[in-house]
Amino acid sequence: MMMAEIMDRIVCSNVHYFYYDTEFFFSHAAKAGVRQIEFYLGTPHIFIDHAVTDDFDRVKELSEKHGVKIAAVHPETLSFRYGLCYMDDEWNKKSVKAYKNCIDYASRIGVRQLNTNVTGAFRDQNQEEIFKRAADNLKEIAAYGREKGVKVAAETESPYYEGFLTRLSEAEQLSDYIGDENLEFNINYDGMKAAKETVRQWTDKFPGRIRGIRFLDLESYEAYRAEQNGDIFEGS
């Protein structure tokens, strides 16, 4: 595959704000050949929480100016301020509201996909109750996304990290419970390999509902490209 074709398929994430402003990020992403990005929302990125949505809409202008498409937004989950599995009712409501605000922002800047990890699944708590909380939240968020024209893609994890949603069977259980095709999935490559699953199994189970594959680094992507049988994801 030619490099131009590869760059059409790769979506890079932004963590520029530690050192550079947003225009610098878009201009240099374009110079590096990046054509699509996943744009992070919430502290310390574009400020969005359960009460406030940032009024910085110039990101759309910068995206168009430099020819770098925002393929998806991603609420901040590594900080664990908001999550989909919190059992505290008040904080859970705030988390869902923060997700809805991220969907509103995505709609405002013309982005039609929100990616998210399923975080907050503390291991000392009842996992069945956590599953129900996460599923109920995703059901509400996916329905809201459908109203706004934004797909919601839940992302699997590597079992070596948080490890709540790591396998195809768990994604199937989640999908069956929610029953809304506006909920789609991204596959974590390391998690898929640890589970001894294949891309083909995922796309057969969820035809047209697999949005992408998350790679930890270039080595993971090169390993994926080198796999036999041509089991290469074409995107939905």
PDB file of all heavy atoms in Angstrom, residues 100-135:
ATOM      1  N   LYS A 100     -23.032  14.479  26.974  1.00  0.00           N
ATOM      2  CA  LYS A 100     -23.990  15.148  26.095  1.00  0.00           C
ATOM      3  C   LYS A 100     -23.451  16.497  25.628  1.00  0.00           C
ATOM      4  O   LYS A 100     -23.664  16.890  24.465  1.00  0.00           O
ATOM      5  CB  LYS A 100     -25.327  15.306  26.808  1.00  0.00           C
ATOM      6  CG  LYS A 100     -26.079  13.990  27.001  1.00  0.00           C
ATOM      7  CD  LYS A 100     -27.413  14.207  27.703  1.00  0.00           C
ATOM      8  CE  LYS A 100     -28.183  12.899  27.817  1.00  0.00           C
ATOM      9  NZ  LYS A 100     -29.484  13.080  28.513  1.00  0.00           N
ATOM     10  N   ASN A 101     -22.752  17.196  26.508  1.00  0.00           N
ATOM     11  CA  ASN A 101     -22.145  18.470  26.104  1.00  0.00           C
ATOM     12  C   ASN A 101     -21.071  18.253  25.043  1.00  0.00           C
ATOM     13  O   ASN A 101     -20.913  19.077  24.132  1.00  0.00           O
ATOM     14  CB  ASN A 101     -21.558  19.181  27.326  1.00  0.00           C
ATOM     15  CG  ASN A 101     -22.631  19.792  28.214  1.00  0.00           C
ATOM     16  OD1 ASN A 101     -23.790  19.911  27.813  1.00  0.00           O
ATOM     17  ND2 ASN A 101     -22.253  20.177  29.420  1.00  0.00           N
ATOM     18  N   CYS A 102     -20.330  17.150  25.141  1.00  0.00           N
ATOM     19  CA  CYS A 102     -19.329  16.827  24.114  1.00  0.00           C
ATOM     20  C   CYS A 102     -20.008  16.533  22.773  1.00  0.00           C
ATOM     21  O   CYS A 102     -19.507  16.914  21.711  1.00  0.00           O
ATOM     22  CB  CYS A 102     -18.476  15.638  24.552  1.00  0.00           C
ATOM     23  SG  CYS A 102     -17.284  16.015  25.862  1.00  0.00           S
ATOM     24  N   ILE A 103     -21.147  15.853  22.825  1.00  0.00           N
ATOM     25  CA  ILE A 103     -21.906  15.589  21.600  1.00  0.00           C
ATOM     26  C   ILE A 103     -22.406  16.901  21.002  1.00  0.00           C
ATOM     27  O   ILE A 103     -22.338  17.110  19.779  1.00  0.00           O
ATOM     28  CB  ILE A 103     -23.072  14.623  21.889  1.00  0.00           C
ATOM     29  CG1 ILE A 103     -22.521  13.214  22.150  1.00  0.00           C
ATOM     30  CG2 ILE A 103     -24.064  14.595  20.728  1.00  0.00           C
ATOM     31  CD1 ILE A 103     -23.565  12.218  22.629  1.00  0.00           C
ATOM     32  N   ASP A 104     -22.893  17.795  21.849  1.00  0.00           N
ATOM     33  CA  ASP A 104     -23.341  19.106  21.365  1.00  0.00           C
ATOM     34  C   ASP A 104     -22.195  19.848  20.677  1.00  0.00           C
ATOM     35  O   ASP A 104     -22.377  20.453  19.608  1.00  0.00           O
ATOM     36  CB  ASP A 104     -23.871  19.952  22.529  1.00  0.00           C
ATOM     37  CG  ASP A 104     -25.225  19.475  23.028  1.00  0.00           C
ATOM     38  OD1 ASP A 104     -25.923  18.763  22.284  1.00  0.00           O
ATOM     39  OD2 ASP A 104     -25.570  19.820  24.173  1.00  0.00           O
ATOM     40  N   TYR A 105     -21.027  19.816  21.283  1.00  0.00           N
ATOM     41  CA  TYR A 105     -19.873  20.509  20.703  1.00  0.00           C
ATOM     42  C   TYR A 105     -19.479  19.868  19.374  1.00  0.00           C
ATOM     43  O   TYR A 105     -19.196  20.575  18.395  1.00  0.00           O
ATOM     44  CB  TYR A 105     -18.697  20.476  21.677  1.00  0.00           C
ATOM     45  CG  TYR A 105     -17.506  21.278  21.212  1.00  0.00           C
ATOM     46  CD1 TYR A 105     -17.440  22.650  21.439  1.00  0.00           C
ATOM     47  CD2 TYR A 105     -16.444  20.671  20.538  1.00  0.00           C
ATOM     48  CE1 TYR A 105     -16.350  23.401  21.008  1.00  0.00           C
ATOM     49  CE2 TYR A 105     -15.360  21.408  20.102  1.00  0.00           C
ATOM     50  CZ  TYR A 105     -15.315  22.764  20.339  1.00  0.00           C
ATOM     51  OH  TYR A 105     -14.242  23.496  19.910  1.00  0.00           O
ATOM     52  N   ALA A 106     -19.473  18.541  19.329  1.00  0.00           N
ATOM     53  CA  ALA A 106     -19.148  17.837  18.082  1.00  0.00           C
ATOM     54  C   ALA A 106     -20.116  18.249  16.981  1.00  0.00           C
ATOM     55  O   ALA A 106     -19.706  18.559  15.853  1.00  0.00           O
ATOM     56  CB  ALA A 106     -19.201  16.329  18.302  1.00  0.00           C
ATOM     57  N   SER A 107     -21.402  18.271  17.303  1.00  0.00           N
ATOM     58  CA  SER A 107     -22.408  18.663  16.319  1.00  0.00           C
ATOM     59  C   SER A 107     -22.185  20.094  15.848  1.00  0.00           C
ATOM     60  O   SER A 107     -22.330  20.405  14.668  1.00  0.00           O
ATOM     61  CB  SER A 107     -23.801  18.506  16.934  1.00  0.00           C
ATOM     62  OG  SER A 107     -24.804  18.902  16.031  1.00  0.00           O
ATOM     63  N   ARG A 108     -21.804  20.952  16.778  1.00  0.00           N
ATOM     64  CA  ARG A 108     -21.597  22.367  16.464  1.00  0.00           C
ATOM     65  C   ARG A 108     -20.452  22.593  15.478  1.00  0.00           C
ATOM     66  O   ARG A 108     -20.499  23.492  14.643  1.00  0.00           O
ATOM     67  CB  ARG A 108     -21.326  23.128  17.762  1.00  0.00           C
ATOM     68  CG  ARG A 108     -21.640  24.606  17.684  1.00  0.00           C
ATOM     69  CD  ARG A 108     -21.708  25.189  19.073  1.00  0.00           C
ATOM     70  NE  ARG A 108     -20.392  25.466  19.622  1.00  0.00           N
ATOM     71  CZ  ARG A 108     -20.115  25.506  20.924  1.00  0.00           C
ATOM     72  NH1 ARG A 108     -21.063  25.244  21.802  1.00  0.00           N
ATOM     73  NH2 ARG A 108     -18.915  25.805  21.345  1.00  0.00           N
ATOM     74  N   ILE A 109     -19.400  21.761  15.578  1.00  0.00           N
ATOM     75  CA  ILE A 109     -18.251  21.934  14.685  1.00  0.00           C
ATOM     76  C   ILE A 109     -18.288  20.954  13.508  1.00  0.00           C
ATOM     77  O   ILE A 109     -17.321  20.827  12.770  1.00  0.00           O
ATOM     78  CB  ILE A 109     -16.911  21.811  15.440  1.00  0.00           C
ATOM     79  CG1 ILE A 109     -16.742  20.411  16.046  1.00  0.00           C
ATOM     80  CG2 ILE A 109     -16.807  22.898  16.516  1.00  0.00           C
ATOM     81  CD1 ILE A 109     -15.358  20.179  16.644  1.00  0.00           C
ATOM     82  N   GLY A 110     -19.424  20.248  13.346  1.00  0.00           N
ATOM     83  CA  GLY A 110     -19.602  19.396  12.174  1.00  0.00           C
ATOM     84  C   GLY A 110     -18.925  18.054  12.236  1.00  0.00           C
ATOM     85  O   GLY A 110     -18.630  17.457  11.203  1.00  0.00           O
ATOM     86  N   VAL A 111     -18.693  17.540  13.445  1.00  0.00           N
ATOM     87  CA  VAL A 111     -18.057  16.222  13.611  1.00  0.00           C
ATOM     88  C   VAL A 111     -19.143  15.206  13.927  1.00  0.00           C
ATOM     89  O   VAL A 111     -19.994  15.441  14.789  1.00  0.00           O
ATOM     90  CB  VAL A 111     -16.991  16.259  14.724  1.00  0.00           C
ATOM     91  CG1 VAL A 111     -16.391  14.872  14.947  1.00  0.00           C
ATOM     92  CG2 VAL A 111     -15.897  17.259  14.365  1.00  0.00           C
ATOM     93  N   ARG A 112     -19.103  14.063  13.247  1.00  0.00           N
ATOM     94  CA  ARG A 112     -20.204  13.100  13.320  1.00  0.00           C
ATOM     95  C   ARG A 112     -19.864  11.817  14.074  1.00  0.00           C
ATOM     96  O   ARG A 112     -20.588  10.827  13.975  1.00  0.00           O
ATOM     97  CB  ARG A 112     -20.674  12.740  11.900  1.00  0.00           C
ATOM     98  CG  ARG A 112     -21.193  13.942  11.121  1.00  0.00           C
ATOM     99  CD  ARG A 112     -22.309  14.638  11.856  1.00  0.00           C
ATOM    100  NE  ARG A 112     -22.773  15.881  11.224  1.00  0.00           N
ATOM    101  CZ  ARG A 112     -23.469  16.817  11.858  1.00  0.00           C
ATOM    102  NH1 ARG A 112     -23.783  16.657  13.129  1.00  0.00           N
ATOM    103  NH2 ARG A 112     -23.839  17.907  11.231  1.00  0.00           N
ATOM    104  N   GLN A 113     -18.793  11.856  14.871  1.00  0.00           N
ATOM    105  CA  GLN A 113     -18.444  10.658  15.634  1.00  0.00           C
ATOM    106  C   GLN A 113     -17.809  11.053  16.959  1.00  0.00           C
ATOM    107  O   GLN A 113     -16.945  11.929  17.018  1.00  0.00           O
ATOM    108  CB  GLN A 113     -17.466   9.770  14.852  1.00  0.00           C
ATOM    109  CG  GLN A 113     -17.072   8.481  15.578  1.00  0.00           C
ATOM    110  CD  GLN A 113     -16.219   7.572  14.727  1.00  0.00           C
ATOM    111  OE1 GLN A 113     -16.363   7.548  13.505  1.00  0.00           O
ATOM    112  NE2 GLN A 113     -15.338   6.819  15.347  1.00  0.00           N
ATOM    113  N   LEU A 114     -18.250  10.391  18.022  1.00  0.00           N
ATOM    114  CA  LEU A 114     -17.642  10.530  19.340  1.00  0.00           C
ATOM    115  C   LEU A 114     -17.106   9.176  19.765  1.00  0.00           C
ATOM    116  O   LEU A 114     -17.852   8.194  19.814  1.00  0.00           O
ATOM    117  CB  LEU A 114     -18.662  11.047  20.355  1.00  0.00           C
ATOM    118  CG  LEU A 114     -18.180  11.206  21.803  1.00  0.00           C
ATOM    119  CD1 LEU A 114     -18.778  12.464  22.443  1.00  0.00           C
ATOM    120  CD2 LEU A 114     -18.524   9.982  22.659  1.00  0.00           C
ATOM    121  N   ASN A 115     -15.813   9.110  20.045  1.00  0.00           N
ATOM    122  CA  ASN A 115     -15.177   7.897  20.554  1.00  0.00           C
ATOM    123  C   ASN A 115     -15.067   7.985  22.071  1.00  0.00           C
ATOM    124  O   ASN A 115     -14.840   9.069  22.617  1.00  0.00           O
ATOM    125  CB  ASN A 115     -13.768   7.730  19.976  1.00  0.00           C
ATOM    126  CG  ASN A 115     -13.757   7.589  18.479  1.00  0.00           C
ATOM    127  OD1 ASN A 115     -14.735   7.133  17.878  1.00  0.00           O
ATOM    128  ND2 ASN A 115     -12.662   7.961  17.845  1.00  0.00           N
ATOM    129  N   THR A 116     -15.184   6.857  22.758  1.00  0.00           N
ATOM    130  CA  THR A 116     -14.986   6.878  24.205  1.00  0.00           C
ATOM    131  C   THR A 116     -14.535   5.535  24.736  1.00  0.00           C
ATOM    132  O   THR A 116     -14.909   4.483  24.201  1.00  0.00           O
ATOM    133  CB  THR A 116     -16.271   7.302  24.942  1.00  0.00           C
ATOM    134  OG1 THR A 116     -15.975   7.443  26.342  1.00  0.00           O
ATOM    135  CG2 THR A 116     -17.389   6.285  24.757  1.00  0.00           C
ATOM    136  N   ASN A 117     -13.728   5.594  25.776  1.00  0.00           N
ATOM    137  CA  ASN A 117     -13.423   4.396  26.550  1.00  0.00           C
ATOM    138  C   ASN A 117     -14.487   4.246  27.636  1.00  0.00           C
ATOM    139  O   ASN A 117     -15.145   5.208  28.016  1.00  0.00           O
ATOM    140  CB  ASN A 117     -12.037   4.519  27.195  1.00  0.00           C
ATOM    141  CG  ASN A 117     -10.954   4.726  26.160  1.00  0.00           C
ATOM    142  OD1 ASN A 117     -10.642   5.856  25.798  1.00  0.00           O
ATOM    143  ND2 ASN A 117     -10.399   3.648  25.661  1.00  0.00           N
ATOM    144  N   VAL A 118     -14.640   3.039  28.137  1.00  0.00           N
ATOM    145  CA  VAL A 118     -15.603   2.770  29.205  1.00  0.00           C
ATOM    146  C   VAL A 118     -14.822   2.755  30.513  1.00  0.00           C
ATOM    147  O   VAL A 118     -14.231   1.742  30.887  1.00  0.00           O
ATOM    148  CB  VAL A 118     -16.349   1.443  28.975  1.00  0.00           C
ATOM    149  CG1 VAL A 118     -17.390   1.218  30.062  1.00  0.00           C
ATOM    150  CG2 VAL A 118     -17.022   1.455  27.603  1.00  0.00           C
ATOM    151  N   THR A 119     -14.806   3.895  31.208  1.00  0.00           N
ATOM    152  CA  THR A 119     -13.940   4.034  32.379  1.00  0.00           C
ATOM    153  C   THR A 119     -14.746   4.152  33.666  1.00  0.00           C
ATOM    154  O   THR A 119     -15.947   4.400  33.658  1.00  0.00           O
ATOM    155  CB  THR A 119     -13.062   5.294  32.251  1.00  0.00           C
ATOM    156  OG1 THR A 119     -13.905   6.437  32.093  1.00  0.00           O
ATOM    157  CG2 THR A 119     -12.138   5.193  31.052  1.00  0.00           C
ATOM    158  N   GLY A 120     -14.023   3.972  34.780  1.00  0.00           N
ATOM    159  CA  GLY A 120     -14.631   4.077  36.098  1.00  0.00           C
ATOM    160  C   GLY A 120     -15.105   2.757  36.669  1.00  0.00           C
ATOM    161  O   GLY A 120     -15.814   2.726  37.673  1.00  0.00           O
ATOM    162  N   ALA A 121     -14.683   1.646  36.061  1.00  0.00           N
ATOM    163  CA  ALA A 121     -15.122   0.321  36.517  1.00  0.00           C
ATOM    164  C   ALA A 121     -14.193  -0.164  37.636  1.00  0.00           C
ATOM    165  O   ALA A 121     -13.327  -1.017  37.434  1.00  0.00           O
ATOM    166  CB  ALA A 121     -15.119  -0.666  35.349  1.00  0.00           C
ATOM    167  N   PHE A 122     -14.387   0.377  38.833  1.00  0.00           N
ATOM    168  CA  PHE A 122     -13.521   0.002  39.953  1.00  0.00           C
ATOM    169  C   PHE A 122     -13.682  -1.481  40.282  1.00  0.00           C
ATOM    170  O   PHE A 122     -14.799  -1.997  40.369  1.00  0.00           O
ATOM    171  CB  PHE A 122     -13.830   0.870  41.169  1.00  0.00           C
ATOM    172  CG  PHE A 122     -13.556   2.327  40.934  1.00  0.00           C
ATOM    173  CD1 PHE A 122     -14.514   3.282  41.215  1.00  0.00           C
ATOM    174  CD2 PHE A 122     -12.342   2.738  40.410  1.00  0.00           C
ATOM    175  CE1 PHE A 122     -14.262   4.627  40.996  1.00  0.00           C
ATOM    176  CE2 PHE A 122     -12.077   4.077  40.181  1.00  0.00           C
ATOM    177  CZ  PHE A 122     -13.041   5.035  40.473  1.00  0.00           C
ATOM    178  N   ARG A 123     -12.583  -2.153  40.474  1.00  0.00           N
ATOM    179  CA  ARG A 123     -12.595  -3.613  40.573  1.00  0.00           C
ATOM    180  C   ARG A 123     -13.069  -4.139  41.920  1.00  0.00           C
ATOM    181  O   ARG A 123     -13.324  -5.332  42.062  1.00  0.00           O
ATOM    182  CB  ARG A 123     -11.202  -4.141  40.247  1.00  0.00           C
ATOM    183  CG  ARG A 123     -10.823  -3.845  38.796  1.00  0.00           C
ATOM    184  CD  ARG A 123      -9.468  -4.362  38.425  1.00  0.00           C
ATOM    185  NE  ARG A 123      -9.171  -4.054  37.021  1.00  0.00           N
ATOM    186  CZ  ARG A 123      -8.057  -4.407  36.411  1.00  0.00           C
ATOM    187  NH1 ARG A 123      -7.128  -5.070  37.056  1.00  0.00           N
ATOM    188  NH2 ARG A 123      -7.867  -4.088  35.135  1.00  0.00           N
ATOM    189  N   ASP A 124     -13.181  -3.255  42.932  1.00  0.00           N
ATOM    190  CA  ASP A 124     -13.657  -3.700  44.243  1.00  0.00           C
ATOM    191  C   ASP A 124     -15.173  -3.618  44.348  1.00  0.00           C
ATOM    192  O   ASP A 124     -15.738  -3.891  45.406  1.00  0.00           O
ATOM    193  CB  ASP A 124     -13.002  -2.871  45.352  1.00  0.00           C
ATOM    194  CG  ASP A 124     -13.360  -1.398  45.260  1.00  0.00           C
ATOM    195  OD1 ASP A 124     -13.674  -0.923  44.144  1.00  0.00           O
ATOM    196  OD2 ASP A 124     -13.340  -0.711  46.309  1.00  0.00           O
ATOM    197  N   GLN A 125     -15.845  -3.256  43.242  1.00  0.00           N
ATOM    198  CA  GLN A 125     -17.292  -3.127  43.255  1.00  0.00           C
ATOM    199  C   GLN A 125     -17.930  -4.224  42.417  1.00  0.00           C
ATOM    200  O   GLN A 125     -17.266  -4.892  41.618  1.00  0.00           O
ATOM    201  CB  GLN A 125     -17.696  -1.741  42.748  1.00  0.00           C
ATOM    202  CG  GLN A 125     -17.185  -0.616  43.641  1.00  0.00           C
ATOM    203  CD  GLN A 125     -17.606   0.761  43.159  1.00  0.00           C
ATOM    204  OE1 GLN A 125     -18.238   0.899  42.115  1.00  0.00           O
ATOM    205  NE2 GLN A 125     -17.260   1.779  43.925  1.00  0.00           N
ATOM    206  N   ASN A 126     -19.226  -4.408  42.612  1.00  0.00           N
ATOM    207  CA  ASN A 126     -19.969  -5.450  41.901  1.00  0.00           C
ATOM    208  C   ASN A 126     -19.933  -5.195  40.397  1.00  0.00           C
ATOM    209  O   ASN A 126     -20.464  -4.186  39.921  1.00  0.00           O
ATOM    210  CB  ASN A 126     -21.417  -5.471  42.417  1.00  0.00           C
ATOM    211  CG  ASN A 126     -22.236  -6.591  41.822  1.00  0.00           C
ATOM    212  OD1 ASN A 126     -22.406  -6.681  40.606  1.00  0.00           O
ATOM    213  ND2 ASN A 126     -22.751  -7.450  42.684  1.00  0.00           N
ATOM    214  N   GLN A 127     -19.325  -6.114  39.654  1.00  0.00           N
ATOM    215  CA  GLN A 127     -19.118  -5.894  38.230  1.00  0.00           C
ATOM    216  C   GLN A 127     -20.418  -5.977  37.425  1.00  0.00           C
ATOM    217  O   GLN A 127     -20.536  -5.340  36.379  1.00  0.00           O
ATOM    218  CB  GLN A 127     -18.091  -6.889  37.689  1.00  0.00           C
ATOM    219  CG  GLN A 127     -16.703  -6.727  38.306  1.00  0.00           C
ATOM    220  CD  GLN A 127     -16.122  -5.335  38.058  1.00  0.00           C
ATOM    221  OE1 GLN A 127     -15.822  -4.978  36.912  1.00  0.00           O
ATOM    222  NE2 GLN A 127     -15.938  -4.546  39.121  1.00  0.00           N
ATOM    223  N   GLU A 128     -21.379  -6.741  37.896  1.00  0.00           N
ATOM    224  CA  GLU A 128     -22.670  -6.796  37.209  1.00  0.00           C
ATOM    225  C   GLU A 128     -23.400  -5.452  37.322  1.00  0.00           C
ATOM    226  O   GLU A 128     -24.007  -4.978  36.359  1.00  0.00           O
ATOM    227  CB  GLU A 128     -23.532  -7.924  37.782  1.00  0.00           C
ATOM    228  CG  GLU A 128     -23.011  -9.322  37.442  1.00  0.00           C
ATOM    229  CD  GLU A 128     -23.930 -10.412  37.950  1.00  0.00           C
ATOM    230  OE1 GLU A 128     -25.003 -10.070  38.518  1.00  0.00           O
ATOM    231  OE2 GLU A 128     -23.593 -11.594  37.793  1.00  0.00           O
ATOM    232  N   GLU A 129     -23.320  -4.834  38.504  1.00  0.00           N
ATOM    233  CA  GLU A 129     -23.939  -3.526  38.686  1.00  0.00           C
ATOM    234  C   GLU A 129     -23.213  -2.473  37.860  1.00  0.00           C
ATOM    235  O   GLU A 129     -23.842  -1.568  37.294  1.00  0.00           O
ATOM    236  CB  GLU A 129     -23.918  -3.139  40.174  1.00  0.00           C
ATOM    237  CG  GLU A 129     -24.833  -3.993  41.031  1.00  0.00           C
ATOM    238  CD  GLU A 129     -24.778  -3.604  42.499  1.00  0.00           C
ATOM    239  OE1 GLU A 129     -24.048  -2.638  42.826  1.00  0.00           O
ATOM    240  OE2 GLU A 129     -25.448  -4.273  43.305  1.00  0.00           O
ATOM    241  N   ILE A 130     -21.891  -2.595  37.763  1.00  0.00           N
ATOM    242  CA  ILE A 130     -21.119  -1.658  36.953  1.00  0.00           C
ATOM    243  C   ILE A 130     -21.484  -1.810  35.478  1.00  0.00           C
ATOM    244  O   ILE A 130     -21.639  -0.818  34.756  1.00  0.00           O
ATOM    245  CB  ILE A 130     -19.618  -1.868  37.180  1.00  0.00           C
ATOM    246  CG1 ILE A 130     -19.207  -1.260  38.529  1.00  0.00           C
ATOM    247  CG2 ILE A 130     -18.789  -1.253  36.051  1.00  0.00           C
ATOM    248  CD1 ILE A 130     -17.767  -1.448  38.890  1.00  0.00           C
ATOM    249  N   PHE A 131     -21.631  -3.057  35.025  1.00  0.00           N
ATOM    250  CA  PHE A 131     -22.023  -3.281  33.635  1.00  0.00           C
ATOM    251  C   PHE A 131     -23.363  -2.608  33.345  1.00  0.00           C
ATOM    252  O   PHE A 131     -23.523  -1.929  32.327  1.00  0.00           O
ATOM    253  CB  PHE A 131     -22.114  -4.769  33.314  1.00  0.00           C
ATOM    254  CG  PHE A 131     -22.696  -5.046  31.958  1.00  0.00           C
ATOM    255  CD1 PHE A 131     -21.892  -5.035  30.832  1.00  0.00           C
ATOM    256  CD2 PHE A 131     -24.061  -5.287  31.797  1.00  0.00           C
ATOM    257  CE1 PHE A 131     -22.430  -5.254  29.563  1.00  0.00           C
ATOM    258  CE2 PHE A 131     -24.604  -5.507  30.545  1.00  0.00           C
ATOM    259  CZ  PHE A 131     -23.784  -5.490  29.423  1.00  0.00           C
ATOM    260  N   LYS A 132     -24.325  -2.792  34.245  1.00  0.00           N
ATOM    261  CA  LYS A 132     -25.646  -2.202  34.020  1.00  0.00           C
ATOM    262  C   LYS A 132     -25.561  -0.675  34.002  1.00  0.00           C
ATOM    263  O   LYS A 132     -26.209  -0.011  33.182  1.00  0.00           O
ATOM    264  CB  LYS A 132     -26.632  -2.660  35.097  1.00  0.00           C
ATOM    265  CG  LYS A 132     -28.073  -2.194  34.832  1.00  0.00           C
ATOM    266  CD  LYS A 132     -29.047  -2.747  35.840  1.00  0.00           C
ATOM    267  CE  LYS A 132     -30.484  -2.387  35.479  1.00  0.00           C
ATOM    268  NZ  LYS A 132     -30.710  -0.943  35.284  1.00  0.00           N
ATOM    269  N   ARG A 133     -24.759  -0.097  34.894  1.00  0.00           N
ATOM    270  CA  ARG A 133     -24.615   1.354  34.925  1.00  0.00           C
ATOM    271  C   ARG A 133     -24.005   1.847  33.616  1.00  0.00           C
ATOM    272  O   ARG A 133     -24.483   2.807  33.015  1.00  0.00           O
ATOM    273  CB  ARG A 133     -23.757   1.753  36.133  1.00  0.00           C
ATOM    274  CG  ARG A 133     -23.408   3.248  36.250  1.00  0.00           C
ATOM    275  CD  ARG A 133     -24.633   4.137  36.302  1.00  0.00           C
ATOM    276  NE  ARG A 133     -25.564   3.881  37.362  1.00  0.00           N
ATOM    277  CZ  ARG A 133     -25.570   4.500  38.552  1.00  0.00           C
ATOM    278  NH1 ARG A 133     -24.640   5.396  38.836  1.00  0.00           N
ATOM    279  NH2 ARG A 133     -26.508   4.226  39.430  1.00  0.00           N
ATOM    280  N   ALA A 134     -22.945   1.181  33.160  1.00  0.00           N
ATOM    281  CA  ALA A 134     -22.302   1.584  31.905  1.00  0.00           C
ATOM    282  C   ALA A 134     -23.250   1.431  30.724  1.00  0.00           C
ATOM    283  O   ALA A 134     -23.324   2.307  29.849  1.00  0.00           O
ATOM    284  CB  ALA A 134     -21.042   0.762  31.679  1.00  0.00           C
ATOM    285  N   ALA A 135     -23.974   0.321  30.678  1.00  0.00           N
ATOM    286  CA  ALA A 135     -24.892   0.069  29.569  1.00  0.00           C
ATOM    287  C   ALA A 135     -26.031   1.082  29.551  1.00  0.00           C
ATOM    288  O   ALA A 135     -26.404   1.594  28.486  1.00  0.00           O
ATOM    289  CB  ALA A 135     -25.440  -1.355  29.667  1.00  0.00           C
TER     290      ALA A 135
END
